[in-house]
Amino acid sequence: MGTKGWCLLFCLVLSGAADTAERQWRAVDVVLDCFLVEEGKHHGGFVSDKNAVKALLVLRQVPVLDDGSLEGFTDFQVGTLAKDSPLVTFEASVNLVQIPHAKALLHADCSEKEVTCEISHYFLQARQEATVETKTWFITNMQVSGGGPSVSIVMKTLGDAENRAVLPPTLDLPLGPQGTVLTTVAFQVTTHTPSLNFLLGSSASLNCSFSMAPGLDLTRVEWRLQHKGHGQLVYSWTTGQGQAKRQGATLDPEQLLMAGDASLNLPSLTLKDEGAYICQITTSLFQAQQIIKLHVQASPKVRLSLVKKALAPTLICNIAGYYPLDVTVTWTREELGGAPVPVSDTSFSSLRQSPEGTYSISSFLKAEPGPAGATYTCQVTHISLEEPIKTSTWVAPPGKGREVCVE
């Protein structure tokens, strides 16, 4: 049975599970299709077919909270792989560290999501005793699509190399008795929110957590901001001492040391806070990171007014204080008893930008109310809005009454 067939079987088990089962923890195998980057061929760019080979990652006996959907689920068997299965299979024990969001990885196929998984060689931060240096180390980066969690794990091989001749020489991997690479996970760094949207002036919490094997020491936590080609340090923690470079930036030292929670808190967001935040965790042996993209948004304020002119009344829809730049403005005209009709003969002012970075623009429309008058509506759509803002006004026929603005 191939990996796709194994996942399909798991999905069928999920669909037939009882909804009323008692929730409890259960150890299951998480199986992921990955790419293994060949040593010396990956230089920081995107992985291509020329520098990577297909691989399979089996996270063995990962604790998952079972709501009854895992009933009948069996452990993964290496012998069930089809002949066209990936060239390399990694088996990873998770006894030493926690693997958060394992359920998201396990259910990705059934949730119609994808897991991007890349494995590459890892080089230690510090030289250790010779017995440690004989091990081979790998780092695996896993990302669930659709804004799902991102997990990075560092794995070390178990035992000495038993067979390096079965695979192509360029891979040079130590294989276990079943022809798989046997490893254990020694370190992980995770974020469950790789992309966030917050309104201007609000407070944000950027999630970043880690878990490490016994015997390792946490030495440094660093948060950096990258935006439009510029980088800066936001917050750093080193052996008990925290320092904020951005005013008000904090992390909880107790949660950091007790729960492995390195989340960063940012109050009173400005547009200067927008960008990619790098959460880098350094231990006595390892270093790994997660990237969280923070998007700061500002909702537009819309005001509709009517200016009487000699030839024709002009409607002005003023849209102010929004961010980011893209905004859509549409107009409709509705006569009494009729349906709204789109109006396209509009014009716009030049774009204006405030000192804090938000944008404003005005849309103009010459009103033609007709003999019975008409209601005009300005509709504004922006990414910061859950639904468009609509502002309407009734324009009286020439020489009759006043307009009435309805927000």
Side-chain angles (χ1 to χ4, degrees), residues 218 235 237 240-242 250-259 261:
L218 177 66
Y235 191 94
W237 180 95
Q241 184 66 38
T250 61
L251 60 78
D252 189 329
E254 182 177 351
Q255 288 296 309
L256 176 70
L257 297 175
M258 300 298 294
D261 186 354

Side-chain angles (χ1 to χ4, degrees), residues 3 6-7 9-11 14 25-33 56-65 70 72-80 89-95 99 101-109 142 178:
T3 56
W6 186 87
C7 291
L9 175 61
F10 173 64
C11 292
L14 284 178
W25 291 97
R26 178 179 171 184
V28 298
D29 293 342
V30 178
V31 184
L32 301 173
D33 289 310
L56 195 68
L57 174 63
V58 183
L59 297 174
R60 288 292 191 183
Q61 299 298 285
V62 182
V64 174
L65 191 60
L70 301 179
F73 181 69
T74 59
D75 294 337
F76 181 80
Q77 301 296 326
V78 176
T80 61
T89 298
F90 288 81
E91 294 187 73
S93 167
V94 298
N95 295 333
I99 303 295
H101 311 295
K103 198 168 186 177
L105 298 172
L106 188 66
H107 291 187
D109 286 328
M142 297 164 281
Q178 290 187 290

Side-chain angles (χ1 to χ4, degrees), residues 124 127-135 137 160:
L124 300 183
R127 293 182 62 86
Q128 300 293 307
E129 62 270 18
T131 55
V132 174
E133 289 184 348
T134 60
K135 307 295 183 182
W137 302 81
D160 297 327

Side-chain angles (χ1 to χ4, degrees), residues 40-63:
K41 293 188 177 182
H42 187 214
H43 303 286
F46 291 103
V47 177
S48 68
D49 293 339
K50 296 181 179 180
N51 58 24
V53 297
K54 291 183 178 181
L56 195 68
L57 174 63
V58 183
L59 297 174
R60 288 292 191 183
Q61 299 298 285
V62 182

Side-chain angles (χ1 to χ4, degrees), residues 188-237:
Q188 66 84 10
V189 179
T190 302
T191 180
H192 63 71
T193 52
S195 183
L196 293 168
N197 298 320
F198 280 94
L199 290 177
L200 182 69
S202 64
S203 298
S205 179
L206 311 185
N207 174 261
C208 183
S209 62
F210 65 95
S211 177
M212 55 189 178
L216 294 175
D217 296 318
L218 177 66
T219 59
R220 183 173 176 84
V221 175
E222 188 174 276
W223 281 91
R224 300 191 67 87
L225 170 60
Q226 295 284 340
H227 188 52
K228 296 182 178 179
H230 299 283
Q232 64 187 55
L233 181 64
V234 177
Y235 191 94
S236 64
W237 180 95

Side-chain angles (χ1 to χ4, degrees), residues 35 279 397:
F35 282 100
C279 171

